[in-house]
Amino acid sequence: MEGYKTDSGYARRTAQIGVPSLAPEFRIDDVIRSTYETLGLEQLDAVRSLPSKIVVGGLPQSLVNKLRPLLKLTLLTKDDYLYQQDDRVDFIYFPETAVISEFQMLADGRTIEVAVTGAEGAVGISSVWGTSPAVNCAQVCVGGTAYKIETDVLERELTYSRPLQRWLHDQINSYIKQISQKVICNTHHAVEERFCTWLLMLQDRSKKNKFNLTQEYIAGVLGVYRPSVTCMAKSLREKNAIDYVRGQIFISDRNKLKKMSCACYTELSSNGTS
Ligand SMILES: [Zn+2]
């Protein structure tokens, strides 16, 4: 009963100062984060730690140098959402080592990936002009670093820079090309071929051989049910193309995956960094 009295006292005190009683750690995190943001520490730290040459969304170095003071280096954790569909897009993200997947939700609740972006591109670019909300849901597929810039700030810079406008035009073209190819892929190609193509694209963009991917996540990428992924993964492992343990997939033989991928890999890899 002592414990109950102590809890009641805590609840009374928090109620008096109008603070939710369930998550005090959360409030502290919020205070720390907002204090850092108010002081601009994230931006200052990022500027200090940026090496002289950085890769930012395929931008030429002259444009990178121009944008450098406006970029914030940020760490993206796997499975974090950058936006949900119809969210306001406050930041444009340029993945460095992170890889971002964009999804659409199907009527039956399944999801399907419509775009995957690494260091070759940027996420959120269709919302740069105007106030268009996020077209797709964007989620971190491979955790890592990315540079981000406020959407309003990038829009302002675009107004004065023809080279930046040309870059954005090229980026949007590449984005449309990828989405168009994904439509063909998702509609006409066998699931195993699509799985191989997707793994190769992930490897090109992350430069990794090992991924933290559950079968449930892969099912959400391919728009299939989990048992289909279990069968495919087993089949590819028997062919020594991949291996896996719980929640992790390893690419054992890239050439075998290439042979089993669909033609979309060749088409889409010109967008990527392979
Ligand atoms: Zn395909």
Side-chain angles (χ1 to χ4, degrees):
M1 290 306 286
E2 271 309 302
Y4 173 75
K5 282 179 186 168
T6 305
D7 287 348
S8 297
Y10 174 75
R12 269 199 310 278
R13 285 195 301 279
T14 51
Q16 280 166 6
I17 56 173
V19 175
S21 60
L22 288 177
E25 319 79 358
F26 220 77
R27 296 196 311 273
I28 292 165
D29 283 347
D30 282 350
V31 169
I32 292 171
R33 189 173 59 242
S34 66
T35 305
Y36 269 68
E37 283 174 359
T38 305
L39 294 172
L41 288 178
E42 185 188 9
Q43 183 167 349
L44 286 174
D45 284 351
V47 170
R48 279 193 205 109
S49 61
L50 293 188
S52 57
K53 268 206 160 189
I54 56 174
V55 177
V56 181
L59 279 164
Q61 198 59 39
S62 57
L63 289 179
V64 172
N65 292 339
K66 188 174 161 55
L67 292 183
R68 178 185 291 266
L70 308 170
L71 295 168
K72 296 178 181 179
L73 184 61
T74 184
L75 186 64
L76 301 177
T77 307
K78 168 142 179 61
D79 295 336
D80 276 358
Y81 286 95
L82 304 185
Y83 330 106
Q84 296 282 359
Q85 200 172 337
D86 297 326
D87 276 357
R88 199 176 73 175
V89 176
D90 292 325
F91 291 97
I92 305 300
Y93 289 85
F94 303 95
E96 186 182 46
T97 60
V99 181
I100 311 300
S101 284
E102 290 182 56
F103 292 93
Q104 278 283 315
M105 177 109 40
L106 305 177
D108 62 2
R110 284 180 295 159
T111 56
I112 191 161
E113 188 188 73
V114 293
V116 58
T117 306
E120 82 290 351
V123 180
I125 47 173
S126 61
S127 300
V128 170
W129 271 302
T131 52
S132 326
V135 178
N136 302 310
C137 160
Q139 188 178 23
V140 180
C141 178
V142 178
T145 52
Y147 298 97
K148 66 178 184 180
I149 185 169
E150 286 179 48
T151 310
D152 295 348
V153 172
L154 183 59
E155 185 177 348
R156 187 190 67 208
E157 294 299 311
L158 277 159
T159 308
Y160 303 109
S161 171
R162 286 287 292 167
L164 202 53
Q165 289 168 16
R166 278 196 291 273
W167 167 83
L168 183 71
H169 183 261
D170 290 346
Q171 282 293 320
I172 289 175
N173 263 351
S174 298
Y175 185 63
I176 292 171
K177 182 182 173 190
Q178 182 181 176
I179 289 175
S180 305
Q181 193 69 41
K182 281 272 200 180
V183 170
I184 295 169
C185 196
N186 291 337
T187 313
H188 292 290
H189 295 157
V191 182
E192 187 172 293
E193 289 179 324
R194 290 166 49 209
F195 184 32
C196 294
T197 293
W198 182 71
L199 282 174
L200 290 167
M201 290 175 70
L202 216 54
Q203 187 177 41
D204 291 342
R205 285 156 179 75
S206 65
K207 314 292 184 202
K208 290 180 178 173
N209 288 323
K210 184 179 84 174
F211 305 101
N212 294 322
L213 296 167
T214 61
Q215 293 191 354
E216 198 168 352
Y217 185 92
I218 296 165
V221 166
L222 300 172
V224 297
Y225 292 107
R226 187 178 159 176
S228 304
V229 177
T230 309
C231 290
M232 275 189 307
K234 193 162 175 274
S235 162
L236 291 177
R237 180 158 74 176
E238 284 166 2
K239 292 168 186 161
N240 295 317
I242 65 166
D243 200 0
Y244 54 87
V245 292
R246 198 171 185 80
Q248 288 192 317
I249 284 194
F250 311 85
I251 293 181
S252 315
D253 192 327
R254 182 179 165 84
N255 287 330
K256 280 186 182 165
L257 276 185
K258 269 188 176 177
K259 282 180 189 157
M260 290 184 282
S261 65
C262 52
C264 299
Y265 176 64
T266 314
E267 291 294 326
L268 292 172
S269 59
S270 61
N271 268 14
T273 54
S274 60

